[in-house]
Amino acid sequence: MPRSSDNLWDLAASEVQAKENAEDNSAETERSIFFIGNKNGGKTSIILRCIDRDEASKPTLALEYTFGRKAKGHNTPKDIAHFWELGGGTSLLDLIQIPITSENIRTFSVVLVLDLSKPNELWHTMDSLLQVTRKRVDKIIADIGKSNSKAANQIMQNIWRNIPNNHPDRELIDPFLLPLLIIGSKYDIFQDFESEKRKIICKTLRFVSHYFGASLLVCIKAEILKLYRQGSQSKTNEFDVLKGTCHHDLGLLSAVIHE
């Protein structure tokens, strides 16, 4: 049971405890995670919470990098997470190609942070960023396939292995080629929108996450799930809708550290 004092990293790690126990913890692992989304949407704040840095966030000017280390247990090597963040919303799309390479694509994940307080920007931001990111991933996989078709096929199979063969929508969805987490930020502002607008936005986000095989969650000031735990019933109906995604809410963050 998550505790109110748990940070994002603790929550993610707890979700894969069984898998961690079954794996060899003697080797150090490295993962990369790329944060994209609305300008001033809260990406930096979430990263700082992930790596337990208690400091004020600053605007991201272009493309920024940081990293965090976390030990799996006593006297064991630390896992390393590489965090990339794209600033400027959709104004710097050309920079998306820099963090995603053929060397790290097998351990790369994407977090799309959407500012729920700016509904008119949601679709354009989401569509533009995901299209360019996917185009970059397609190119890398195609390049890998030219020299090693088996490796390229394995990457594709890894994406589909999370979709059950008997899933009713298996033929209709088109999984994103990297583990994808969609975060709706600033829910504390969004919850005061009129009911019909909230429903439309929530259903849209749920559909997109389902179509791409992504995980979906919302947060208030980078405090994941706080609204669900503390909010009033009258204000959390839409959050309950968002919870009903086809994959686990913390799947992406878990993949960054352990998968």
Side-chain angles (χ1 to χ4, degrees):
M1 181 70 179
R3 298 166 298 185
S4 59
S5 60
D6 285 345
N7 57 37
L8 292 182
W9 204 309
D10 292 330
L11 288 170
S14 67
E15 294 300 323
V16 292
Q17 189 63 52
K19 180 177 179 180
E20 181 185 72
N21 292 339
E23 293 179 341
D24 178 11
N25 291 331
S26 62
E28 182 179 76
T29 59
E30 295 190 29
R31 309 294 171 187
S32 298
I33 180 169
F34 188 21
F35 281 77
I36 56 179
N38 290 93
K39 183 177 180 179
N40 299 320
K43 300 183 294 297
T44 304
S45 297
I46 296 175
I47 292 174
L48 292 175
R49 291 295 298 273
C50 285
I51 56 180
D52 294 335
R53 288 188 188 173
D54 187 14
E55 59 186 72
S57 60
K58 300 177 182 179
T60 303
L61 299 179
L63 182 67
E64 295 191 0
Y65 166 82
T66 189
F67 69 94
R69 290 192 178 98
K70 192 77 170 182
K72 294 180 180 179
H74 184 61
N75 291 330
T76 60
K78 291 184 177 181
D79 290 333
I80 301 175
H82 302 277
F83 294 92
W84 294 87
E85 179 185 359
L86 179 68
T90 59
S91 64
L92 299 170
L93 296 177
D94 289 344
L95 297 181
I96 287 177
Q97 65 180 318
I98 296 176
I100 311 174
T101 68
S102 58
E103 287 76 23
N104 66 16
I105 193 171
R106 295 170 182 81
T107 57
F108 202 94
S109 303
V110 176
V111 175
L112 173 63
V113 181
L114 297 173
D115 187 344
L116 296 179
S117 70
K118 301 176 180 178
N120 293 336
E121 298 180 12
L122 287 178
W123 186 263
H124 172 71
T125 299
M126 176 171 54
D127 186 53
S128 300
L129 290 170
L130 291 183
Q131 275 198 37
V132 175
T133 302
R134 187 155 196 166
K135 184 177 180 180
R136 172 60 176 171
V137 176
D138 285 342
K139 182 180 184 304
I140 291 176
I141 294 178
D143 290 342
I144 293 175
K146 293 176 182 178
S147 58
N148 190 339
S149 59
K150 184 177 179 180
N153 290 335
Q154 185 61 50
I155 294 174
M156 301 296 292
Q157 291 174 11
N158 289 341
I159 296 300
W160 280 100
R161 71 181 181 181
N162 293 321
I163 312 295
N165 290 330
N166 61 349
H167 195 290
D169 295 335
R170 186 178 174 86
E171 301 300 322
L172 302 175
I173 61 179
D174 186 15
F176 203 73
L177 298 180
L178 294 175
L180 173 65
L181 170 64
I182 300 174
I183 297 179
S185 66
K186 301 185 182 180
Y187 190 93
D188 47 330
I189 300 175
F190 172 79
Q191 67 178 344
D192 292 325
F193 289 176
E194 60 182 55
S195 176
E196 192 60 31
K197 179 181 288 187
R198 294 199 308 266
K199 289 180 180 178
I200 292 173
I201 293 173
C202 289
K203 288 180 179 179
T204 300
L205 291 179
R206 185 179 178 186
F207 168 78
V208 171
S209 67
H210 182 70
Y211 180 77
F212 285 125
S215 297
L216 175 66
L217 57 85
V218 296
C219 65
I220 304 173
K221 297 179 181 178
E223 295 181 20
I224 302 245
L225 301 183
K226 181 176 180 181
L227 181 66
Y228 179 66
R229 292 172 180 163
Q230 300 180 357
S232 66
Q233 183 63 40
S234 62
K235 289 295 185 179
T236 56
N237 291 333
E238 290 78 21
F239 184 81
D240 292 335
V241 172
L242 288 177
K243 284 179 60 193
T245 55
C246 61
H247 294 94
H248 200 282
D249 294 53
L250 291 174
L252 193 283
L253 289 179
S254 301
V256 171
I257 306 171
H258 299 282
E259 188 171 292

